[in-house]
């Protein structure tokens, strides 16, 4: 089985001039993490002299400093250096799920050309950290997967149209549950489906460290001085947020930046952490990853929807075994705001959510 990997590579250059060395961007990212040019160079298997050469090349291209060196205090990035690092983080956060989906599609095409057997499972899912870890685990177990990250709506539509065997969705608990079920009902009603739990998780406000603008509720987003970054139209997270705002009679037009959306939770967190917005709405793990504070707003159930004719397959049994394994559940529990205590539980969809059939 051939695996395809695609990684984003970007650079900066003057028209007709030499590009910024790609390794310099890697180096600056490591300096931001480690606070030392020497340690950053070692982590990339570069000599200290080579690292300095890369920094000088970059500073010559920009005509400005990228690093500040203080004896006994290591290395710190200048504002320009920090902006390059945050650009790199936003690029990776925004593109990684897209590139992972494309990698899976290309690998599937190669299997056909090499006359290899097709994937055992086709998974369309709303991107999240638990499903990402599950897919990594299944791949390590040798299970052939065709993975496509999409919005929850697109995943549900793919299940309806027979384009996938499993769809990953999330439904909030509490008052917003009926709203979400009504949204997905056109795709899911009348189908023989089973629900396999992965975890519950928290969605909320991602704010800067210390929450300097004191943003604790959705109505706080309407303040004139607050800049917001949203998820894209069609995502389950945006559907949840719009439902919560409607329930509180808060017009989206009162929120500056509401129509600007990112395609991943990590991209939202990176956007806030880089100073381009004051607050975003999304999951807790990327907020913690980017050293942001998190204000919980809603809890939801993330699960797999499987066609009943797939439930007895050997591939699905591998999925269930992974979800029920204590060691794997411990990995999911390490994700901030996640509770995998019901992972691997099977419930007929009509029993889990009777309203789907109405």
């Amino acid at each position: 089985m051939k695996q395809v990997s695609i990684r984003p590579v970007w650079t900066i250059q003057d028209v007709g001039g030499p590009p910024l060395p790609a390794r310099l961007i890697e180096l600056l990212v490591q300096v931001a993490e480690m606070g030392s040019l020497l340690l950053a160079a070692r982590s990339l298997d570069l000599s200290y002299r080579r690292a300095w050469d890369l920094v000088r090349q970059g500073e010559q291209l920009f005509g400005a400093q990228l690093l500040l060196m203080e004896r006994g205090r290591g290395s710190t990035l200048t504002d320009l250096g920090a902006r390059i690092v945050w650009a790199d983080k936003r690029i990776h956060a925004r593109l990684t799920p897209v590139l992972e989906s494309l990698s899976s599609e290309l690998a599937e095409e190669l299997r056909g050309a090499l006359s290899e057997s097709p994937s055992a499972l086709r998974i369309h899912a709303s991107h999240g950290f638990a499903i990402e870890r599950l897919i990594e685990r299944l791949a390590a177990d040798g299970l052939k997967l065709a993975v496509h990250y999409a919005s929850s709506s697109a995943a549900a539509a793919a299940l309806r149209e027979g384009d996938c065997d499993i769809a990953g969705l999330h439904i909030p608990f509490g008052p917003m549950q009926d709203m979400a079920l009504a949204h997905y009902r056109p795709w899911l009603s009348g189908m023989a489906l089973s629900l396999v739990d992965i975890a519950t998780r928290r969605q909320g406000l991602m704010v800067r460290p210390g929450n300097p603008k004191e943003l604790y509720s959705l109505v706080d987003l309407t303040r004139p001085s607050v800049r917001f970054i949203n998820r894209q139209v069609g995502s389950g997270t945006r559907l949840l947020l719009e439902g919560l705002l409607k329930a509180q009679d808060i017009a989206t037009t009162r929120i500056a930046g509401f129509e600007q959306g990112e395609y991943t939770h990590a991209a939202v967190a990176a956007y806030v952490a880089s100073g381009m917005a004051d607050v975003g709405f999304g999951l807790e793990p990327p907020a913690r990853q980017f050293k942001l504070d998190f204000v919980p707003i809603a809890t939801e159930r993330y699960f797999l929807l499987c066609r009943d004719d797939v439930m007895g397959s050997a591939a699905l049994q591998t999925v269930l075994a992974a979800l029920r394994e204590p060691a794997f559940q411990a990995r999911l529990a390490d994700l901030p705001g996640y509770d995998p205590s019901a992972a691997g539980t099977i419930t007929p969809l009509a029993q889990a959510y009777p309203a789907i059939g109405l």
Side-chain angles (χ1 to χ4, degrees), residues 285-302:
R288 303 304 184 190
Q289 175 188 346
F290 285 98
K291 298 179 175 58
L292 300 172
D293 284 358
F294 182 80
V295 181
I297 298 291
T299 301
E300 57 187 11
R301 183 183 193 180
Y302 191 98

Side-chain angles (χ1 to χ4, degrees), residues 178-214:
D178 289 343
M179 176 274 301
L181 293 176
H183 176 78
Y184 296 117
R185 188 182 300 125
W187 293 296
L188 304 178
S189 63
M191 296 186 69
L193 300 171
S194 292
L195 182 153
V196 178
D197 279 294
I198 297 181
T200 63
R201 64 186 195 178
R202 299 195 297 192
Q203 297 247 34
L205 302 179
M206 304 178 187
V207 298
R208 295 183 190 177
N211 199 357
K213 294 209 170 181
E214 300 183 339

Side-chain angles (χ1 to χ4, degrees), residues 70-334:
E70 293 186 63
R71 186 179 297 275
R73 295 190 177 184
S75 311
T76 57
L77 299 175
T78 63
D79 180 62
L80 174 60
R83 287 176 185 268
I84 292 172
V85 167
W86 278 114
D88 185 73
K89 290 183 177 182
R90 289 202 307 275
I91 287 168
H92 282 269
R94 182 180 295 174
L95 294 182
T96 294
V98 176
L99 296 180
E100 287 177 356
S101 295
L102 180 57
S103 297
S104 183
E105 291 173 15
L106 294 175
E108 195 71 4
E109 290 180 17
L110 290 176
R111 285 179 196 138
L114 295 171
S115 299
E116 295 181 355
S117 58
S119 295
L121 281 177
R122 300 169 299 159
I123 302 175
H124 286 220
S126 166
H127 185 264
F129 298 84
I131 187 69
E132 190 175 64
R133 290 192 175 186
L134 176 60
I135 288 169
E136 288 174 359
R137 166 58 191 273
L138 296 176
D141 287 344
L143 193 61
K144 292 182 180 179
L145 302 172
V147 180
H148 182 77
Y149 287 122
S151 69
S152 293
S153 298
L159 191 64
R160 181 80 184 188
E161 294 164 6
D163 292 334
C164 68
D165 305 305
I166 296 177
L169 278 76
H170 48 104
I171 299 290
F173 293 101
M176 292 298 103
Q177 176 176 293
D178 289 343
M179 176 274 301
L181 293 176
H183 176 78
Y184 296 117
R185 188 182 300 125
W187 293 296
L188 304 178
S189 63
M191 296 186 69
L193 300 171
S194 292
L195 182 153
V196 178
D197 279 294
I198 297 181
T200 63
R201 64 186 195 178
R202 299 195 297 192
Q203 297 247 34
L205 302 179
M206 304 178 187
V207 298
R208 295 183 190 177
N211 199 357
K213 294 209 170 181
E214 300 183 339
L215 305 170
Y216 298 106
S217 65
L218 295 182
V219 72
D220 293 334
L221 303 180
T222 63
R223 294 181 199 158
S225 63
V226 174
R227 298 170 300 159
F228 180 70
I229 179 65
N230 207 347
R231 285 294 305 283
Q232 84 277 18
V233 174
S235 68
T237 295
R238 183 157 175 155
L239 176 69
L240 170 61
L241 177 58
E242 289 174 347
L244 290 168
L245 292 171
K246 184 177 181 180
Q248 297 182 38
D249 198 26
I250 300 173
T252 60
T253 53
R254 296 174 58 196
I255 301 174
F258 189 87
E259 295 308 322
Q260 186 170 356
E262 288 285 348
Y263 281 84
T264 68
H265 295 278
V268 170
Y271 205 95
V272 175
S274 65
M276 297 179 68
D278 301 303
V279 56
F281 187 82
L283 294 173
E284 188 169 352
R288 303 304 184 190
Q289 175 188 346
F290 285 98
K291 298 179 175 58
L292 300 172
D293 284 358
F294 182 80
V295 181
I297 298 291
T299 301
E300 57 187 11
R301 183 183 193 180
Y302 191 98
F303 53 85
L304 300 175
L305 277 185
C306 310
R307 297 202 325 265
D308 284 352
D309 61 355
V310 177
M311 290 299 296
S313 68
L316 205 285
Q317 296 309 305
T318 302
V319 174
L320 294 175
L323 287 171
R324 293 167 179 170
E325 184 185 81
F328 181 71
Q329 290 186 7
R331 284 201 68 210
L332 297 185
D334 285 340

